[in-house]
């Protein structure tokens, strides 16, 4: 079970406002990426975010660029999960591959208020907020395997080691 | 029941019938990366294999911040060059070549029926040649360098039919902005979009690239246009390998079918700060602009520069405007020079820049200050995209960009 404070945003939060393009080829340290998280959406976020905080957003979260740092920067800002009405396909893949938990639940997004504390039970797929309890669907087994190994790179390293 | 394009392309690759919803692991035909190859090479090193699985499927193009605008970018490029050298990647194009998607097209890597992945969201562009092209992340590209393999879930397909005859001066960019404005930035989320209809087949290959390129801006996984005689005559002198044309079956099943009539289409413009915030230019305030940007992977091709040159001949760029022109590749640059387009543009007061992504992603060569307004022929107008988060970006066709550069404000190009 995880408990965190909610940062709530709107629809179509794109990768440029999550992690600006001007840093994409010059910052390689994930902790430095975290310092620029949501810089062009909510400039105060990166300094105020606390471990296990949760981002809640509307439809099409992470639309735009393929830049994986838009997932990495949130993971290293210690964001525990992003709950959205829907995710862009590239962001969804990058989330899985970097091990950032992404939950799709339009009903929960409508119910959750900015600033409230919510709890997530990942094992059972249940989310508890002030307005009530919401179930979220499990991911395909193949994808869960990647997340359980801690992201794509750890997953592939494990497979390579097993093959040897 | 027949199969969609995406089902057929993956069935061929896997050697067995593949259906929507299945998860498959494949070795792509081409894997493209650009300046981000430096970061990818670091992840590759972390995986710990001692060689690249197949150097020949990789194509690397330096374009996003080229030539390097600062020491950090220079180091980034240096890392890429060393990686290319060490692992024997022969398909490498340095900063003098152009934008990756244009280069892969010119060099004959973008071919019908191929599975092409790129660590760049606009990899959807290759759908203009009948390929399956889609963007992937850096870790995924590093894994392809190490193992050759990537997984895909076969998406549902959507059919968009565009009918009618384009009015004079209206272009592919107006069509795709109109579609995105109608269906929204997630209107094709996670879907394989097949574009068809007489208005699509009437387009040049450059125009089709504009359409396929911006499929991602409505959330699509890929955008597909069936190859025809035009495609084949363009590919004939340049195809790098053999290829097989793959089209959807006539009785394929689609998750959605839409139809657009463009007979009376007006010039379209996407207003700040989302690509789906589209209106006819005539309905937008005649706002003063500071910069006009002609270029990018969506609209930096010869016909785009020809449009700008023919409109501006004998006229001047407005004194309050910086008109930046970026041919999409050195080949386009040379052709535009030979035809006199660049001389015309320079004579009018435009600045002709080197081939590359330019200011599109806010890295260099024309970034915006707070309060500035830019009209751009590129594909994204997100807040902060081209520099200051207090700047405004309007997206439109090359004709609309050129008209604004002359008038100093947003105008319907038919007034110029």
């Amino acid at each position: 079970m995880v408990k965190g404070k909610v940062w709530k945003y709107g629809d179509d939060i794109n990768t440029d406002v999550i992690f600006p393009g001007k840093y994409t080829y010059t910052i390689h340290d994930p902790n430095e990426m975290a310092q620029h998280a949501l810089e062009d959406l909510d400039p105060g976020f990166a300094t105020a975010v606390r471990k296990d905080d949760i981002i809640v957003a509307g439809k099409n979260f992470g639309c735009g660029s393929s830049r994986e740092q838009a997932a990495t920067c949130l993971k290293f800002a210690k964001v525990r999960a992003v709950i959205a009405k829907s995710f862009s396909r590239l962001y969804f893949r990058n989330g899985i591959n970097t091990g950032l938990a992404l939950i799709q639940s339009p009903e929960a997004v409508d119910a959750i208020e900015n600033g409230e504390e919510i709890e997530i039970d990942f094992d059972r797929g249940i989310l508890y907020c002030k307005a009530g309890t919401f179930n979220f669907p499990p991911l395909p087994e193949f994808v869960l395997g990647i997340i359980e190994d801690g992201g794509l790179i750890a997953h592939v390293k494990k497979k390579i080691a097993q093959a040897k | 029941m027949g199969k969609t394009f995406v089902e057929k392309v993956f069935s061929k690759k896997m050697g067995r019938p593949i259906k929507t919803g299945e998860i498959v692991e494949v070795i792509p035909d081409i894997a493209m990366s650009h300046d981000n190859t430096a970061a990818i090479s670091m992840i590759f090193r972390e995986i710990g294999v001692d060689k690249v699985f197949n150097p020949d499927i990789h194509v690397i193009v330096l374009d996003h911040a080229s030539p390097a605008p600062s020491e950090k970018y220079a180091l980034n490029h240096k890392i890429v060059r060393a990686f290319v050298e060490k692992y024997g990647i022969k398909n490498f194009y340095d900063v003098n070549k152009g934008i990756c998607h244009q280069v892969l097209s010119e060099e004959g890597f973008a071919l019908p029926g191929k599975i092409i992945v790129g660590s760049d969201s606009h990899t959807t562009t290759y759908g203009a040649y009948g390929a399956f092209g889609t963007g992937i992340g850096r870790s995924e590209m590093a894994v392809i360098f190490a193992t050759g393999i990537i997984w895909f879930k076969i998406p549902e397909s959507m059919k968009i039919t565009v009918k009618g005859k384009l009015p004079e001066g209206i272009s592919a960019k107006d069509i795709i902005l109109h579609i995105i404005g109608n269906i929204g930035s997630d209107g094709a989320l996670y879907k394989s979009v097949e574009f068809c209809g007489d208005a699509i087949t009437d387009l040049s290959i450059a125009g089709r690239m504009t359409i396929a390129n911006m499929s991602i801006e409505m959330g699509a996984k890929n955008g597909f246009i069936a190859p025809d005689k035009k495609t084949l005559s363009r590919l004939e002198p340049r195809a790098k390998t053999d290829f097989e044309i793959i089209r959807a079956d006539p009785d394929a099943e689609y998750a959605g079918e839409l139809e657009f009539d463009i007979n009376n289409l007006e010039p379209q413009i996407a207003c700040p700060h989302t690509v789906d915030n589209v209106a006819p230019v005539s309905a937008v305030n005649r706002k003063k602009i500071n910069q006009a940007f002609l270029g990018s992977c969506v609209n930096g091709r010869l016909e785009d520069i020809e449009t700008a040159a023919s409109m501006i001949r004998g006229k001047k760029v407005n004194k309050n405007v910086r008109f930046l022109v970026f041919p999409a590749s050195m080949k386009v640059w040379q052709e535009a020079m030979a035809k006199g387009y660049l001389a015309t543009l320079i004579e009018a007061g435009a600045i002709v820049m080197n081939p590359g992504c330019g200011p599109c992603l806010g890295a260099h060569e024309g970034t915006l200050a707070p309060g500035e307004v830019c009209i751009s022929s590129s594909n994204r107008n997100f807040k902060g995209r081209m520099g200051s988060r207090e700047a405004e970006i309007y997206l439109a066709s090359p004709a609309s960009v050129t008209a604004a550069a002359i008038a100093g404000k947003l105008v319907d190009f038919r007034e110029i």
Side-chain angles (χ1 to χ4, degrees), chain B residues 284-295:
Chain B
V284 174
N285 271 339
R286 298 165 78 88
K287 192 165 207 161
K288 282 190 178 167
I289 63 157
N290 306 97
Q291 182 166 298
F293 165 36
L294 177 65

Side-chain angles (χ1 to χ4, degrees), chain B residues 234-266:
Chain B
R234 185 176 157 87
L235 291 175
E236 203 235 333
R238 71 188 80 221
K240 272 275 192 291
T241 58
D242 291 344
F243 58 86
E244 183 189 329
I245 291 175
I246 296 176
R247 293 187 185 87
D249 292 328
D251 57 344
E253 196 178 343
Y254 293 93
E257 294 194 37
L258 295 172
E259 200 173 293
F260 292 88
D261 181 332
I262 47 93
N263 273 311
N264 299 308
L265 189 65
E266 284 190 53

